[in-house]
Every structure is written in C-alpha cells, then in structure tokens.
C-alpha cells in the first residue's frame, strides 16, 4: 500500500493596520495616522472600519480618503466618513465602483488627523474591520494591528523685561499678552523688585504662526 500526502501552503490573511503603530507627540500638536490594508493576495473590492480613541486625550479633526481602493484609477464611493469626538470614534467605508475586480496591492485606505489634548497614552483600536470581495462577500480571516500614541506635556514660555525709553527698569510691570489668532489673553507674572515678566502655557493655547500682542504698563498709568 502506498500512502500519499499532499501539503498545501497556508494562505496568508489580509491585514489592516494603524501606521505608525506607536508615536510620541506633544500636547497641542496635530498628528496623523494611516489606516493601511495588505490584501495578502485577496481581491479587495470594499473596506470599512470603526476606530476608537480616548476623547479626553485626543480630538479627531479630519478623516481623508487614501489611494488604496483607487490605486489603479478606478472610481470609488465613500459610504461612511464620520467623526464623533463625544464618543471617541471615527467610521469610514469605501467601495470600488464601475469595475468587477478588486485590488491586490497594499495601500493606505484613509488618513486620520488628531489633535493631542492632554498628556497620557491613548490606544487606537480597530474592533470592527470588514473587507469585501468582488462578489460583495466578506473576506474571512482579516487580521488587525492596533496602535497607540504617547502624548507628552508641552511647555511654552513667554518672558522678558520691561524698561522705559531711557533704559531704566519698570519694576513690577503689568504685562498682558493677547493671542490675536485666538483672542486668548495671558497675564504675566511679575514681582516688585524686578522688571522681569513670565507666562507659562502650552501648545494648546499657542501654535506656530500665531501673532502675539503685548501690552505693558507701570504703576502710574503709563502703558505701551
């Protein structure tokens, strides 16, 4: 008797990932993550996901279409593109139209931009991911790689000295600084024996490109 055994290689599973899987940002900073798809040989006709995040640490600002499903020039239909910062969730869904075949090369399905609000470590989780084939049937065995972001506290210092035109110091000056882009007003800390002033804030309140207006005064009514 002859026993014949035929072994077939296991097929790879499609993978949906958050990239980068981990990054460090500063409080107040804007950053982006890509939702990528590796079909692993499957023909992907449509894709959708739900992403959850901690809404006390992050605020999602936009969710943009990526080139994955239209990489060969085919048209697509975006049937879901939602951001809910109250619940800490984004939803996205897209499908190819006008063709009867899917894509097999990896690519970026969508890009999500966040603003870091508070220090901490925030998980980015994809508990609900679906890929479909050209027959509109679910592709089984999809694997998911979640991500996380570490938010470090930012510090923005505004400081200096106030003097009269002749160079003599204005001790204990009154200094108010207005961010003309946001209308937020900062009152500087001073002391009676010095003309130094200082404000400590963070990148949630001042961003690159903002214009600051300074108003300084002494204790006898002069101001500039």
């Amino acid at each position: 008797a002859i026993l014949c055994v035929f072994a077939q290689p296991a097929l790879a599973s499609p993978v949906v990932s958050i990239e980068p899987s981990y990054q460090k940002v500063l409080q107040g900073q804007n950053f982006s993550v890509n939702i990528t798809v590796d079909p692993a040989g499957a023909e992907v006709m449509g894709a959708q996901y739900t992403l959850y995040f901690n809404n006390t640490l992050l605020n999602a600002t936009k969710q943009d279409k990526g080139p994955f499903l239209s990489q060969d020039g085919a048209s697509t239909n975006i049937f879901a593109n939602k951001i809910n910062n109250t619940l800490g969730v984004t939803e996205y869904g897209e499908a190819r139209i006008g063709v009867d075949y899917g894509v097999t090369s990896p690519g970026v399905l969508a890009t999500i931009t966040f603003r870091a609000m508070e220090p901490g470590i925030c998980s980015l989780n994809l508990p609900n991911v679906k890929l479909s084939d050209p027959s509109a049937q679910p592709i089984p065995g999809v694997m998911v790689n979640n991500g996380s972001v570490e938010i470090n506290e930012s510090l923005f210092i505004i400081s200096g000295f106030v003097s009269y035109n002749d160079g003599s110091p204005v001790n204990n000056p009154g200094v108010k600084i207005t961010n003309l882009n946001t209308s937020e007003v900062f009152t500087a800390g001073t002391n009676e024996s010095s003309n130094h002033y200082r404000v400590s804030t963070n990148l949630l309140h001042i961003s690159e490109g903002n214009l600051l207006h300074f108003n300084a005064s002494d204790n006898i009514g002069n101001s500039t």
Side-chain angles (χ1 to χ4, degrees):
I2 298 175
L3 177 64
C4 297
V5 178
F6 298 93
Q8 291 184 335
L11 296 177
S13 297
V15 181
V16 177
S17 304
I18 296 176
E19 295 183 359
S21 60
Y22 172 79
Q23 59 181 309
K24 290 183 179 182
V25 299
L26 289 174
Q27 180 186 21
Q29 182 179 342
N30 293 326
F31 69 96
S32 297
V33 297
N34 291 327
I35 309 301
T36 65
V37 181
D38 183 351
E43 280 191 64
V44 179
M45 195 74 171
Q48 65 185 88
Y49 65 80
T50 304
L51 182 146
Y52 286 92
F53 59 93
N54 185 332
N55 64 347
T56 63
L57 301 181
L58 297 180
N59 185 276
T61 59
K62 62 179 180 176
Q63 187 168 230
D64 296 320
K65 164 185 161 56
F68 170 64
L69 287 173
S70 57
Q71 58 185 272
D72 59 350
S75 298
T76 65
N77 176 48
I78 298 174
F79 56 85
N81 190 350
K82 301 177 182 179
I83 293 176
N84 189 327
N85 282 306
T86 301
L87 298 178
V89 62
T90 73
E91 299 177 53
Y92 186 84
E94 184 183 358
R96 289 161 63 83
I97 56 175
V99 293
D100 59 0
Y101 56 91
V103 294
T104 57
S105 297
V108 176
L109 175 63
T111 298
I112 308 171
T113 301
F114 292 97
R115 183 169 176 82
M117 305 301 292
E118 297 293 340
I121 297 178
C122 183
S123 298
L124 303 174
N125 295 322
L126 294 169
N128 183 21
V129 172
K130 296 179 181 178
L131 302 180
S132 58
D133 64 18
S135 299
Q137 297 300 308
I139 297 174
V142 177
M143 299 180 63
V144 173
N145 292 321
N146 294 313
S148 64
V149 56
E150 180 180 341
I151 306 160
N152 294 310
E153 185 176 9
S154 63
L155 192 61
F156 193 99
I157 303 296
I158 308 168
S159 64
F161 299 87
V162 180
S163 302
Y164 290 109
N165 287 339
D166 62 5
S168 59
V170 179
N171 288 340
N172 198 26
V175 179
K176 289 190 176 181
I177 304 162
T178 303
N179 186 335
L180 298 182
N181 295 78
T182 66
S183 299
E184 189 168 4
V185 178
F186 308 95
T187 300
T190 60
N191 66 74
E192 293 183 358
S193 61
S194 171
N195 65 335
H196 182 260
Y197 67 89
R198 185 180 190 274
V199 171
S200 176
T201 182
N202 59 51
L203 296 179
L204 283 175
H205 303 285
I206 295 180
S207 301
E208 182 179 358
N210 286 174
L211 185 63
L212 304 182
H213 177 268
F214 290 75
N215 182 277
S217 60
D218 61 15
N219 57 7
I220 59 173
N222 297 306
S223 65
T224 185

